[in-house]
Amino acid sequence: MKKLTREEAWDFLTEYVQTPALQQHALTVETAMRHFARLNGEDEELWGVTGLLHDLDYEKYPDEHCKKATEIMEEKGIDPVYIRAMNSHGYGICTDVRPESAMEKTLFTIDELTGLIHAVCLMRPSKSVLDLEVKSVKKKFKSKAFAAGVDRDVIRQGCEMLGMELDDVIRETIAGMKENAEEIGLKGNL
């Protein structure tokens, strides 16, 4: 079974995802996953590639999200570790694959959270993640009207799975996003 390099994963992703916003989301999840891999003493490349590919089918097959990606990845002989993690991020939404490994639980949790953090950044005068604080994200997290498409229950459930407090998950996700602020479009005017 095929493990992917970062470059192979990017080429694979861009074959199916052309929308800049969706590519940016994939890059954001990738950078946060790499950060969490380092925190957990895990394989940064594996976690990063998993984050990069998690929405492989979303642009072309939104009604078959995760299911179509499974088919595509299996046809290409992609290692099942990526396929299982990609499926587990849709747990309770479009799949019944429960996140089990630390990597799967992290992906499940931060997928939605990175979207919320991105939205918070765009509302700030700086338009940047570099000066973002946990309290700013927490305030918007509590406002159901803000970034209404972000499922707060998924984030809460993920924090429970990880055995981490919401504040800590937000802090570490921001820290991961800061590492590649320019690449993910959140350097802003700082």
Side-chain angles (χ1 to χ4, degrees):
M1 287 292 155
K2 186 169 174 57
K3 289 257 204 250
L4 297 169
T5 65
R6 200 285 176 177
E7 188 178 327
E8 289 170 330
W10 177 253
D11 290 345
F12 188 33
L13 176 77
T14 55
E15 185 181 331
Y16 291 91
V17 178
Q18 273 89 47
T19 307
L22 288 175
Q23 289 179 358
Q24 190 176 53
H25 172 66
L27 291 169
T28 302
V29 174
E30 175 196 18
T31 197
M33 287 293 288
R34 286 179 179 279
H35 177 77
F36 275 93
R38 282 191 302 280
L39 287 178
N40 287 286
E42 296 283 349
D43 183 339
E44 191 178 327
E45 190 79 357
L46 174 67
W47 284 44
V49 165
T50 299
L52 196 59
L53 294 178
H54 80 284
D55 278 345
L56 179 72
D57 61 2
Y58 192 75
E59 181 177 323
K60 290 186 177 183
Y61 309 100
D63 296 334
E64 298 176 79
H65 186 35
C66 295
K67 292 167 187 60
K68 197 67 180 173
T70 298
E71 288 175 27
I72 294 165
M73 292 167 107
E74 284 176 348
E75 282 172 17
K76 296 222 186 234
I78 304 298
D79 192 299
V81 72
Y82 301 111
I83 298 171
R84 182 172 158 69
M86 178 275 307
N87 272 301
S88 72
H89 99 276
Y91 177 66
I93 303 159
C94 57
T95 77
D96 59 1
V97 179
R98 184 176 180 79
E100 291 176 0
S101 69
M103 179 176 75
E104 292 169 354
K105 291 173 183 176
T106 302
L107 179 61
F108 178 82
T109 308
I110 68 165
D111 179 30
E112 292 286 310
L113 182 56
T114 57
L116 178 71
I117 292 170
H118 186 97
V120 172
C121 290
L122 296 181
M123 298 299 296
R124 301 169 54 74
S126 69
K127 306 270 189 255
S128 179
V129 71
L130 297 174
D131 62 350
L132 184 64
E133 295 181 21
V134 172
K135 66 182 179 182
S136 300
V137 177
K138 233 5 220 303
K139 184 177 176 187
K140 295 297 188 185
F141 185 90
K142 292 175 183 170
S143 169
K144 289 181 174 49
F146 180 81
V150 172
D151 191 334
R152 273 84 165 158
D153 290 335
V154 166
I155 298 169
R156 283 189 203 96
Q157 186 182 1
C159 290
E160 284 177 29
M161 286 180 189
L162 289 169
M164 291 177 72
E165 294 296 321
L166 176 61
D167 285 23
D168 296 331
V169 175
I170 292 170
R171 182 178 309 101
E172 294 303 339
T173 303
I174 291 170
M177 291 170 71
K178 283 179 178 180
E179 292 171 15
N180 278 325
E182 190 159 5
E183 185 183 18
I184 64 173
L186 294 176
K187 186 176 180 218
N189 53 33
L190 294 181

